[in-house]
Coordinates of all heavy atoms in Angstrom, one line a residue:
I1 N 3.4 2.5 11.3 CA 4.3 3.7 11.1 C 3.5 4.6 10.3 O 2.8 4.4 9.4 CB 5.5 3.2 10.2 CG1 6.3 2.3 11.0 CG2 6.1 4.5 9.8 CD1 7.4 1.7 10.2
V2 N 3.6 6.0 10.8 CA 3.0 7.1 10.0 C 4.1 7.9 9.5 O 4.9 8.3 10.2 CB 2.1 7.9 11.0 CG1 1.5 9.1 10.1 CG2 1.0 7.1 11.4
I3 N 4.2 8.1 8.2 CA 5.4 8.9 7.6 C 4.7 10.2 7.1 O 3.7 10.2 6.2 CB 5.9 8.3 6.4 CG1 6.6 6.9 7.0 CG2 7.0 9.0 5.8 CD1 7.1 6.0 6.0
L4 N 5.3 11.3 7.5 CA 4.8 12.7 7.1 C 5.7 13.1 6.0 O 6.9 13.6 6.3 CB 5.0 13.5 8.3 CG 4.0 13.4 9.6 CD1 4.3 14.3 10.7 CD2 2.6 13.4 9.2
G5 N 5.4 12.8 4.8 CA 6.2 13.2 3.6 C 6.2 12.1 2.7 O 5.4 11.1 2.7
D6 N 7.0 12.2 1.7 CA 7.1 11.3 0.6 C 8.0 10.2 0.9 O 9.1 10.3 1.6 CB 7.5 12.0 -0.7 CG 6.6 12.9 -1.1 OD1 5.5 12.9 -0.8 OD2 6.9 13.9 -1.9
V7 N 7.8 9.0 0.2 CA 8.7 7.8 0.1 C 9.1 7.7 -1.3 O 8.4 7.2 -2.1 CB 8.0 6.6 0.7 CG1 9.0 5.3 0.5 CG2 7.6 6.6 2.2
N8 N 10.3 8.1 -1.5 CA 10.7 8.2 -3.0 C 11.4 7.0 -3.5 O 11.7 6.0 -2.7 CB 11.8 9.3 -3.0 CG 11.0 10.7 -3.0 OD1 10.0 10.9 -3.6 ND2 11.6 11.6 -2.1
V9 N 11.7 6.9 -4.7 CA 12.3 5.6 -5.4 C 13.6 5.5 -4.7 O 14.4 6.4 -4.4 CB 12.5 6.1 -6.8 CG1 13.3 4.8 -7.5 CG2 11.2 6.2 -7.5
G10 N 13.9 4.2 -4.3 CA 15.1 3.8 -3.7 C 14.9 3.8 -2.1 O 15.8 3.1 -1.6
A11 N 13.9 4.3 -1.6 CA 13.6 4.2 -0.2 C 12.9 3.0 0.2 O 12.1 2.4 -0.7 CB 12.9 5.4 0.2
Q12 N 13.1 2.5 1.3 CA 12.4 1.3 1.8 C 11.9 1.4 3.1 O 12.6 1.8 4.0 CB 13.3 0.1 1.7 CG 12.7 -1.2 2.0 CD 13.8 -2.3 1.9 OE1 14.9 -2.2 1.6 NE2 13.2 -3.6 1.9
V13 N 10.5 1.2 3.3 CA 9.9 1.2 4.7 C 9.5 -0.2 5.0 O 8.8 -0.8 4.3 CB 8.6 2.1 4.5 CG1 7.9 2.1 6.0 CG2 9.1 3.6 4.3
I14 N 9.8 -0.5 6.2 CA 9.5 -1.9 6.7 C 8.7 -1.7 8.1 O 9.3 -1.1 9.0 CB 10.7 -2.8 6.8 CG1 11.5 -3.0 5.6 CG2 10.3 -4.2 7.5 CD1 12.7 -3.7 5.7
S15 N 7.6 -2.4 8.2 CA 6.8 -2.3 9.4 C 6.3 -3.6 9.8 O 5.9 -4.3 8.9 CB 5.6 -1.3 9.4 OG 4.7 -1.3 10.3
T16 N 6.0 -4.0 11.1 CA 5.5 -5.2 11.4 C 3.9 -5.0 11.4 O 3.2 -5.9 11.5 CB 5.8 -5.7 12.8 OG1 5.6 -4.6 13.8 CG2 7.4 -6.0 12.9
G17 N 3.5 -3.7 11.4 CA 2.0 -3.5 11.3 C 1.7 -2.7 10.0 O 2.2 -3.0 9.0
N18 N 0.8 -1.6 10.2 CA 0.3 -0.9 9.1 C 1.3 0.3 8.7 O 2.1 0.7 9.6 CB -1.0 -0.2 9.4 CG -2.0 -1.3 9.8 OD1 -2.1 -2.3 9.2 ND2 -2.8 -1.1 10.9
V19 N 1.2 0.8 7.5 CA 2.1 1.9 7.0 C 1.1 2.9 6.6 O 0.3 2.6 5.6 CB 3.0 1.6 6.0 CG1 3.8 2.7 5.5 CG2 4.0 0.5 6.5
V20 N 1.1 4.2 7.0 CA 0.3 5.3 6.7 C 1.3 6.3 6.1 O 2.1 6.8 6.9 CB -0.6 5.8 7.8 CG1 -1.4 6.9 7.2 CG2 -1.6 4.9 8.1
I21 N 1.1 6.7 4.8 CA 2.0 7.7 4.3 C 1.3 9.0 3.8 O 0.4 8.9 3.0 CB 2.8 7.2 3.0 CG1 3.6 5.9 3.4 CG2 3.7 8.2 2.4 CD1 4.1 5.1 2.3
L22 N 1.5 10.1 4.6 CA 1.0 11.4 4.3 C 1.8 12.0 3.3 O 2.3 13.1 3.6 CB 0.7 12.2 5.6 CG -0.2 11.5 6.7 CD1 -0.1 12.3 8.0 CD2 -1.5 11.1 6.2
G23 N 1.8 11.5 2.1 CA 2.6 12.1 1.0 C 2.5 11.0 -0.2 O 1.6 10.1 -0.1
A24 N 3.5 11.0 -0.9 CA 3.5 10.2 -2.2 C 4.3 8.9 -1.8 O 5.4 9.0 -1.2 CB 4.1 10.8 -3.3
L25 N 3.9 7.7 -2.3 CA 4.7 6.5 -2.1 C 5.1 6.1 -3.5 O 4.4 5.8 -4.4 CB 3.7 5.4 -1.6 CG 4.3 3.9 -1.6 CD1 5.6 3.9 -1.0 CD2 3.4 3.0 -1.1
R26 N 6.5 6.2 -3.6 CA 7.1 5.9 -4.9 C 8.3 4.8 -4.8 O 8.7 4.3 -5.7 CB 7.7 7.1 -5.6 CG 6.8 8.1 -6.0 CD 7.3 9.3 -6.7 NE 6.5 10.4 -6.7 CZ 6.6 11.5 -5.8 NH1 7.4 11.6 -5.1 NH2 5.8 12.5 -6.1
G27 N 8.5 4.5 -3.6 CA 9.5 3.4 -3.3 C 9.0 2.1 -2.9 O 7.9 1.7 -3.4
N28 N 9.6 1.5 -1.9 CA 9.3 0.0 -1.6 C 8.7 0.2 -0.1 O 9.3 0.9 0.6 CB 10.4 -0.9 -1.5 CG 11.1 -1.1 -2.9 OD1 10.4 -1.0 -3.9 ND2 12.4 -1.4 -2.8
V29 N 7.5 -0.6 0.1 CA 7.0 -0.7 1.4 C 6.7 -2.1 1.8 O 6.2 -2.8 0.9 CB 5.7 0.3 1.5 CG1 4.6 -0.2 0.6 CG2 5.2 0.4 2.9
Y30 N 6.9 -2.4 3.0 CA 6.7 -3.8 3.4 C 5.9 -3.7 4.8 O 6.5 -3.3 5.8 CB 8.1 -4.5 3.6 CG 7.9 -5.9 4.3 CD1 6.8 -6.6 4.3 CD2 9.2 -6.6 4.5 CE1 6.8 -8.0 4.7 CE2 9.2 -8.0 5.0 CZ 8.0 -8.7 5.0 OH 8.0 -9.8 5.4
A31 N 4.7 -4.0 4.7 CA 3.8 -3.9 6.0 C 3.6 -5.3 6.4 O 3.5 -6.3 5.5 CB 2.4 -3.3 5.6
G32 N 3.3 -5.6 7.6 CA 3.1 -6.8 8.1 C 4.3 -7.8 8.1 O 4.2 -9.1 7.8
A33 N 5.5 -7.2 8.4 CA 6.8 -8.0 8.3 C 6.8 -9.1 9.2 O 7.5 -10.0 9.1 CB 8.0 -7.0 8.5
S34 N 6.0 -9.1 10.3 CA 5.9 -10.2 11.4 C 5.0 -11.3 10.9 O 4.7 -12.3 11.6 CB 5.6 -9.6 12.7 OG 4.2 -9.1 12.6
G35 N 4.3 -11.2 9.6 CA 3.5 -12.2 9.2 C 2.0 -11.8 9.2 O 1.2 -12.6 8.9
N36 N 1.8 -10.6 9.7 CA 0.4 -10.1 9.9 C -0.3 -9.7 8.6 O 0.0 -8.8 7.8 CB 0.4 -8.8 10.7 CG -1.0 -8.3 11.0 OD1 -2.0 -8.8 10.6 ND2 -1.1 -7.2 11.8
E37 N -1.2 -10.8 8.1 CA -1.8 -10.6 6.8 C -3.0 -9.5 6.8 O -3.5 -9.2 5.8 CB -2.4 -11.9 6.4 CG -1.4 -13.0 6.1 CD -1.9 -14.2 5.6 OE1 -3.0 -14.4 5.7 OE2 -1.1 -15.1 5.1
D38 N -3.3 -8.9 7.9 CA -4.3 -7.9 8.1 C -3.8 -6.6 8.0 O -4.5 -5.5 8.2 CB -5.1 -8.1 9.4 CG -5.9 -9.4 9.4 OD1 -6.3 -9.8 8.3 OD2 -6.3 -9.8 10.4
S39 N -2.5 -6.4 7.7 CA -1.8 -5.1 7.7 C -2.2 -4.6 6.4 O -2.7 -5.2 5.5 CB -0.2 -5.3 7.8 OG 0.1 -5.7 8.9
F40 N -2.1 -3.1 6.3 CA -2.4 -2.4 5.1 C -1.5 -1.3 4.9 O -0.7 -0.8 5.8 CB -3.8 -1.9 5.1 CG -4.1 -0.9 6.3 CD1 -3.9 0.3 6.3 CD2 -4.6 -1.5 7.4 CE1 -4.3 1.2 7.2 CE2 -5.0 -0.7 8.5 CZ -4.8 0.7 8.4
V41 N -1.5 -0.6 3.8 CA -0.6 0.5 3.3 C -1.7 1.5 2.8 O -2.4 1.3 1.9 CB 0.4 0.3 2.3 CG1 1.3 1.4 1.9 CG2 1.3 -1.0 2.8
V42 N -1.6 2.8 3.4 CA -2.3 4.0 2.9 C -1.5 5.0 2.4 O -0.4 5.3 3.1 CB -3.4 4.4 3.9 CG1 -4.0 5.7 3.4 CG2 -4.3 3.4 4.3
A43 N -1.6 5.6 1.3 CA -0.8 6.7 0.8 C -1.6 7.8 0.1 O -2.7 7.4 -0.5 CB 0.3 6.2 -0.1
L44 N -1.4 9.0 0.3 CA -2.1 10.1 -0.5 C -1.9 9.9 -1.9 O -2.9 10.2 -2.7 CB -1.6 11.4 0.1 CG -1.9 11.7 1.5 CD1 -1.5 13.2 1.9 CD2 -3.4 11.6 1.9
K45 N -0.8 9.6 -2.4 CA -0.4 9.3 -3.8 C 0.2 7.9 -3.8 O 1.3 7.8 -3.3 CB 0.4 10.4 -4.4 CG -0.3 11.8 -4.4 CD 0.5 12.8 -5.1 CE -0.1 14.2 -5.1 NZ 0.7 15.2 -5.6
M46 N -0.5 7.0 -4.5 CA 0.1 5.7 -4.5 C 0.7 5.3 -5.9 O -0.1 5.2 -6.9 CB -1.1 4.7 -4.1 CG -0.6 3.3 -4.1 SD 0.0 2.7 -2.5 CE -1.4 2.7 -1.4
N47 N 1.9 5.2 -5.8 CA 2.7 4.8 -7.1 C 3.9 4.0 -6.7 O 5.1 4.5 -7.0 CB 3.1 6.0 -7.9 CG 3.6 5.8 -9.4 OD1 3.4 4.7 -9.8 ND2 4.4 6.6 -9.9
P48 N 3.8 3.0 -6.0 CA 5.0 2.2 -5.4 C 5.8 1.5 -6.4 O 5.2 1.1 -7.4 CB 4.4 1.2 -4.5 CG 3.1 0.9 -5.0 CD 2.6 2.3 -5.8
T49 N 7.1 1.2 -6.2 CA 7.9 0.4 -6.9 C 7.6 -1.0 -6.6 O 7.3 -1.9 -7.4 CB 9.4 0.6 -6.5 OG1 9.7 2.0 -6.8 CG2 10.2 -0.2 -7.4
Q50 N 7.4 -1.3 -5.3 CA 6.9 -2.6 -4.7 C 6.3 -2.5 -3.5 O 6.5 -1.6 -2.6 CB 8.2 -3.5 -4.5 CG 7.9 -4.8 -4.2 CD 9.2 -5.7 -3.9 OE1 9.8 -5.6 -2.8 NE2 9.7 -6.4 -5.0
I51 N 5.2 -3.3 -3.3 CA 4.4 -3.4 -1.9 C 4.6 -4.8 -1.6 O 4.3 -5.8 -2.4 CB 3.0 -2.9 -2.2 CG1 2.9 -1.4 -2.3 CG2 2.1 -3.4 -1.0 CD1 1.5 -0.9 -2.3
R52 N 4.7 -5.0 -0.4 CA 4.8 -6.4 0.2 C 3.9 -6.3 1.5 O 4.2 -5.4 2.4 CB 6.2 -6.8 0.6 CG 6.3 -8.2 1.1 CD 7.7 -8.8 1.2 NE 7.7 -10.1 1.9 CZ 8.8 -10.7 2.1 NH1 9.9 -10.2 1.8 NH2 8.7 -11.9 2.7
I53 N 2.9 -7.2 1.6 CA 2.2 -7.4 2.8 C 2.3 -8.8 3.2 O 1.9 -9.7 2.4 CB 0.8 -7.0 2.5 CG1 0.6 -5.5 2.1 CG2 -0.1 -7.2 3.9 CD1 -0.8 -5.0 1.7
S54 N 2.8 -9.0 4.4 CA 3.0 -10.4 4.9 C 4.1 -11.1 3.9 O 5.2 -10.5 3.7 CB 1.8 -11.1 5.2 OG 2.2 -12.4 5.8
D55 N 3.6 -12.1 3.4 CA 4.6 -12.8 2.5 C 4.2 -12.6 1.0 O 4.7 -13.3 0.1 CB 4.6 -14.3 2.8 CG 5.3 -14.7 4.1 OD1 6.2 -13.9 4.5 OD2 4.8 -15.6 4.8
T56 N 3.4 -11.8 0.6 CA 2.8 -11.6 -0.7 C 3.5 -10.3 -1.2 O 3.5 -9.1 -0.4 CB 1.3 -11.4 -0.7 OG1 0.7 -12.6 -0.1 CG2 0.8 -11.3 -2.1
I57 N 3.9 -10.3 -2.5 CA 4.7 -9.1 -3.2 C 4.0 -8.8 -4.2 O 3.5 -9.6 -5.2 CB 6.1 -9.5 -3.4 CG1 6.9 -9.8 -2.1 CG2 6.9 -8.5 -4.2 CD1 8.2 -10.5 -2.4
A58 N 3.9 -7.4 -4.6 CA 3.2 -6.9 -5.8 C 4.2 -5.8 -6.4 O 4.7 -5.1 -5.5 CB 1.9 -6.4 -5.5
R59 N 4.4 -5.8 -7.5 CA 5.4 -4.9 -8.2 C 4.5 -4.0 -9.1 O 3.4 -4.3 -9.6 CB 6.3 -5.6 -9.1 CG 7.4 -6.3 -8.7 CD 8.4 -6.8 -9.6 NE 8.4 -5.7 -10.7 CZ 8.8 -6.0 -12.0 NH1 9.2 -7.1 -12.3 NH2 8.8 -5.0 -12.8
A60 N 5.1 -2.8 -9.2 CA 4.6 -1.8 -10.3 C 4.7 -2.5 -11.7 O 5.6 -3.1 -12.0 CB 5.3 -0.5 -10.2
P61 N 3.8 -2.0 -12.6 CA 3.9 -2.5 -13.9 C 5.2 -1.9 -14.6 O 5.7 -0.8 -14.2 CB 2.7 -2.0 -14.6 CG 2.1 -1.0 -13.6 CD 2.6 -1.2 -12.3
D62 N 5.7 -2.7 -15.5 CA 7.0 -2.1 -16.2 C 6.8 -0.8 -16.9 O 7.7 0.0 -17.0 CB 7.4 -3.2 -17.2 CG 8.0 -4.5 -16.5 OD1 8.5 -4.3 -15.3 OD2 8.0 -5.5 -17.2
Q63 N 5.6 -0.6 -17.4 CA 5.2 0.7 -18.0 C 4.8 1.6 -16.9 O 4.0 1.2 -16.1 CB 4.2 0.6 -19.0 CG 4.5 -0.5 -20.2 CD 3.2 -0.9 -20.9 OE1 2.2 -0.6 -20.6 NE2 3.4 -1.7 -22.0
G64 N 5.4 2.8 -17.0 CA 5.0 3.8 -16.0 C 3.5 4.2 -16.1 O 3.0 4.0 -17.2
H65 N 2.9 4.5 -15.0 CA 1.5 5.0 -15.1 C 1.4 6.4 -14.4 O 2.1 6.6 -13.4 CB 0.5 4.0 -14.6 CG 0.6 3.7 -13.1 ND1 0.0 4.6 -12.2 CD2 1.3 2.7 -12.6 CE1 0.4 4.1 -11.0 NE2 1.0 2.9 -11.1
K66 N 0.4 7.1 -14.7 CA 0.2 8.4 -13.9 C -0.3 8.2 -12.7 O -1.0 7.3 -12.3 CB -1.0 9.1 -14.8 CG -1.3 10.6 -14.2 CD -2.3 11.2 -15.0 CE -2.6 12.5 -14.6 NZ -3.9 12.7 -14.1
E67 N 0.4 9.0 -11.7 CA 0.0 8.9 -10.2 C -1.4 9.4 -10.1 O -1.8 10.3 -10.7 CB 0.8 9.9 -9.4 CG 2.2 9.3 -9.0 CD 3.0 10.3 -8.0 OE1 2.4 11.2 -7.5 OE2 4.3 10.0 -7.9
D68 N -2.3 8.6 -9.4 CA -3.6 9.0 -9.0 C -3.6 10.0 -7.9 O -2.7 9.8 -7.1 CB -4.3 7.6 -8.6 CG -5.8 7.7 -8.6 OD1 -6.3 8.8 -8.5 OD2 -6.4 6.6 -8.7
E69 N -4.5 10.8 -8.0 CA -4.6 11.9 -7.1 C -5.5 11.6 -5.9 O -5.7 12.6 -5.1 CB -4.9 13.2 -7.8 CG -4.0 13.8 -8.8 CD -2.7 14.3 -8.2 OE1 -2.7 14.8 -7.1 OE2 -1.6 13.9 -8.9
T70 N -6.0 10.5 -6.0 CA -6.9 10.1 -4.7 C -6.0 9.2 -3.7 O -5.2 8.5 -4.0 CB -8.0 9.3 -5.2 OG1 -7.6 8.1 -5.7 CG2 -8.9 10.0 -6.2
T71 N -6.5 9.4 -2.5 CA -5.9 8.5 -1.4 C -6.3 7.0 -1.6 O -7.4 6.8 -1.9 CB -6.3 9.0 0.0 OG1 -6.0 10.3 0.1 CG2 -5.7 8.2 1.1
Q72 N -5.3 6.1 -1.6 CA -5.6 4.8 -1.8 C -5.0 3.9 -0.7 O -4.1 4.3 0.0 CB -4.9 4.4 -3.1 CG -5.6 5.2 -4.3 CD -5.0 4.6 -5.6 OE1 -3.7 4.4 -5.7 NE2 -5.8 4.2 -6.6
I73 N -5.7 2.6 -0.6 CA -5.3 1.7 0.4 C -4.8 0.4 -0.3 O -5.5 0.0 -1.3 CB -6.4 1.4 1.4 CG1 -5.9 0.5 2.5 CG2 -7.6 0.9 0.7 CD1 -6.7 0.4 3.7
A74 N -3.7 -0.2 0.1 CA -3.4 -1.5 -0.4 C -3.6 -2.6 0.7 O -3.1 -2.3 1.9 CB -1.9 -1.4 -0.9
Y75 N -4.2 -3.6 0.5 CA -4.5 -4.7 1.5 C -4.4 -5.9 0.8 O -4.5 -6.2 -0.4 CB -5.9 -4.4 2.1 CG -7.1 -4.5 1.1 CD1 -7.7 -5.6 0.9 CD2 -7.4 -3.3 0.4 CE1 -8.7 -5.7 0.0 CE2 -8.5 -3.4 -0.5 CZ -9.1 -4.5 -0.7 OH -10.2 -4.6 -1.6
L76 N -4.2 -7.1 1.7 CA -4.1 -8.4 1.2 C -5.4 -9.1 1.4 O -6.1 -9.0 2.5 CB -3.0 -9.1 2.0 CG -2.7 -10.6 1.6 CD1 -2.2 -10.7 0.3 CD2 -1.7 -11.1 2.8
E77 N -5.8 -9.8 0.3 CA -7.1 -10.5 0.5 C -7.0 -11.8 -0.5 O -6.7 -11.6 -1.7 CB -8.3 -9.7 0.0 CG -9.6 -10.5 0.3 CD -10.8 -9.5 -0.1 OE1 -11.0 -8.6 0.9 OE2 -11.4 -9.7 -1.1
D78 N -7.3 -13.0 0.1 CA -7.1 -14.3 -0.7 C -5.8 -14.3 -1.4 O -5.8 -14.8 -2.6 CB -8.3 -14.3 -1.7 CG -9.7 -14.4 -1.0 OD1 -9.7 -14.9 0.0 OD2 -10.7 -13.8 -1.6
G79 N -4.7 -13.9 -0.9 CA -3.4 -14.2 -1.5 C -2.9 -13.2 -2.5 O -2.0 -13.3 -3.2
N80 N -3.8 -12.1 -2.7 CA -3.6 -11.1 -3.7 C -3.6 -9.7 -3.0 O -4.3 -9.4 -2.1 CB -4.5 -11.1 -4.8 CG -4.6 -12.3 -5.6 OD1 -3.6 -12.7 -6.2 ND2 -5.6 -12.9 -5.7
I81 N -2.7 -8.7 -3.5 CA -2.7 -7.4 -2.9 C -3.6 -6.6 -3.9 O -3.3 -6.5 -5.1 CB -1.3 -6.8 -2.9 CG1 -0.4 -7.6 -1.8 CG2 -1.3 -5.3 -2.6 CD1 1.0 -7.2 -1.7
Y82 N -4.6 -5.9 -3.2 CA -5.5 -5.0 -4.0 C -5.1 -3.4 -3.7 O -4.9 -3.3 -2.5 CB -7.0 -5.4 -3.7 CG -7.3 -6.7 -4.0 CD1 -7.2 -7.8 -3.3 CD2 -7.7 -7.0 -5.5 CE1 -7.7 -9.1 -3.6 CE2 -8.1 -8.2 -5.9 CZ -8.0 -9.3 -5.0 OH -8.4 -10.5 -5.4
I83 N -5.1 -2.7 -4.6 CA -5.1 -1.3 -4.4 C -6.4 -0.6 -4.8 O -6.7 -0.7 -5.9 CB -3.8 -0.6 -5.0 CG1 -2.5 -1.3 -4.6 CG2 -3.8 0.8 -4.8 CD1 -1.2 -0.9 -5.2
E84 N -7.1 0.2 -3.8 CA -8.3 0.7 -4.2 C -8.3 2.3 -3.6 O -7.6 2.4 -2.6 CB -9.5 -0.1 -3.7 CG -9.6 -1.4 -4.2 CD -10.8 -2.2 -3.7 OE1 -11.6 -1.6 -3.0 OE2 -10.9 -3.4 -4.1
P85 N -9.2 3.1 -4.1 CA -9.3 4.3 -3.4 C -9.9 4.1 -2.0 O -10.7 3.1 -1.8 CB -10.4 4.9 -4.4 CG -10.4 4.4 -5.6 CD -10.0 3.0 -5.3
L86 N -9.5 5.0 -1.1 CA -9.8 4.9 0.2 C -11.1 5.6 0.5 O -11.3 6.8 0.4 CB -8.8 5.4 1.2 CG -8.9 5.4 2.7 CD1 -9.0 4.0 3.1 CD2 -8.0 6.2 3.5
T87 N -12.3 4.7 0.6 CA -13.5 5.3 0.9 C -14.1 4.5 2.1 O -13.6 3.6 2.6 CB -14.5 5.0 -0.3 OG1 -14.6 3.6 -0.5 CG2 -13.9 5.5 -1.6
R88 N -15.2 5.0 2.6 CA -15.9 4.4 3.6 C -16.3 2.9 3.4 O -16.2 2.0 4.1 CB -17.1 5.2 4.1 CG -17.9 4.7 5.3 CD -19.0 5.6 5.7 NE -18.4 6.8 6.1 CZ -19.1 7.8 6.7 NH1 -20.3 7.8 6.7 NH2 -18.5 8.9 7.0
N89 N -16.7 2.7 2.1 CA -17.1 1.4 1.7 C -15.9 0.5 1.7 O -16.1 -0.6 1.9 CB -17.8 1.4 0.3 CG -19.1 2.1 0.3 OD1 -19.8 2.2 1.3 ND2 -19.5 2.6 -0.9
T90 N -14.8 1.0 1.1 CA -13.5 0.1 1.1 C -13.2 -0.3 2.5 O -12.9 -1.5 2.8 CB -12.4 0.9 0.4 OG1 -12.8 1.4 -0.8 CG2 -11.2 0.0 0.3
L91 N -13.2 0.7 3.4 CA -12.9 0.3 4.9 C -13.7 -0.7 5.4 O -13.4 -1.6 6.2 CB -12.8 1.6 5.7 CG -11.6 2.5 5.4 CD1 -11.9 3.8 6.4 CD2 -10.3 1.8 5.7
G92 N -15.1 -0.7 5.0 CA -16.0 -1.6 5.7 C -15.8 -3.1 4.9 O -16.3 -4.0 5.6
D93 N -15.3 -3.1 3.9 CA -15.1 -4.4 3.1 C -13.8 -5.2 3.5 O -13.8 -6.3 3.2 CB -15.1 -4.2 1.6 CG -16.5 -3.8 1.0 OD1 -17.4 -3.9 1.7 OD2 -16.5 -3.2 -0.2
I94 N -13.0 -4.5 4.1 CA -11.6 -5.2 4.5 C -11.5 -5.5 5.9 O -12.1 -4.8 6.8 CB -10.3 -4.4 3.9 CG1 -10.2 -3.1 4.6 CG2 -10.4 -4.2 2.4 CD1 -8.9 -2.4 4.3
R95 N -10.6 -6.4 6.2 CA -10.5 -6.7 7.7 C -9.3 -5.8 8.1 O -8.2 -5.5 7.5 CB -9.7 -8.0 7.8 CG -10.6 -9.2 7.5 CD -10.0 -10.6 7.6 NE -8.6 -10.6 7.1 CZ -8.0 -11.2 6.1 NH1 -8.9 -11.7 5.3 NH2 -6.8 -11.2 5.8
L96 N -9.6 -5.1 9.2 CA -8.6 -4.1 9.8 C -8.2 -4.5 11.1 O -8.8 -5.0 11.8 CB -9.3 -2.6 9.9 CG -9.7 -2.0 8.5 CD1 -10.3 -0.7 8.8 CD2 -8.4 -1.8 7.7

C-alpha cells in the first residue's frame, strides 16, 4: 500500500504486504497481515502509535518523543521490529 499523506492518531492501516507512507505516520500500521515476515513500513516521518509486522507488535514509548525529520524504515528481524533511517546501507542489510 502507498499512502499519499499522513496517517494520524486513531487511524489504522492494514496490508498483507508493505506499507509506504509519503507523509507522517502517527497512527497504527500493520504490515504483513498474511504472515509475511519480510514486509516493511516506510514513512517520511515515523512516529507511530503502534507498528505490527506479521505477528510481532511494537508500541511507541509512553513518553512522547520528537518526530524525526528523516525517512525511516521499520522491519522485522529475529523477532524484533527495528526502526532505522532509510539509507542504501539499510536497504542492503534487510530482506526485501
Side-chain angles (χ1 to χ4, degrees):
I1 293 177
V2 177
I3 297 173
L4 301 173
D6 297 340
V7 176
N8 290 313
V9 175
Q12 184 174 11
V13 176
I14 300 173
S15 171
T16 58
N18 304 317
V19 178
V20 177
I21 301 167
L22 300 176
L25 170 57
R26 296 184 194 100
N28 298 330
V29 65
Y30 181 6
S34 63
N36 184 357
E37 293 184 348
D38 293 332
S39 295
F40 60 84
V41 178
V42 172
L44 296 181
K45 294 181 182 176
M46 183 83 71
N47 189 19
T49 305
Q50 183 183 84
I51 289 183
R52 182 172 176 179
I53 299 175
S54 187
D55 293 327
T56 304
I57 300 172
R59 281 191 36 205
D62 291 334
Q63 304 164 349
H65 67 82
K66 184 180 177 238
E67 274 187 11
D68 196 339
E69 295 295 321
T70 61
T71 302
Q72 295 183 313
I73 185 168
Y75 60 94
L76 182 64
E77 186 174 286
D78 298 327
N80 295 305
I81 294 177
Y82 297 95
I83 298 175
E84 297 183 4
L86 183 62
T87 64
R88 184 174 294 184
N89 291 339
T90 306
L91 287 175
D93 291 344
I94 64 172
R95 296 182 317 256
L96 296 178

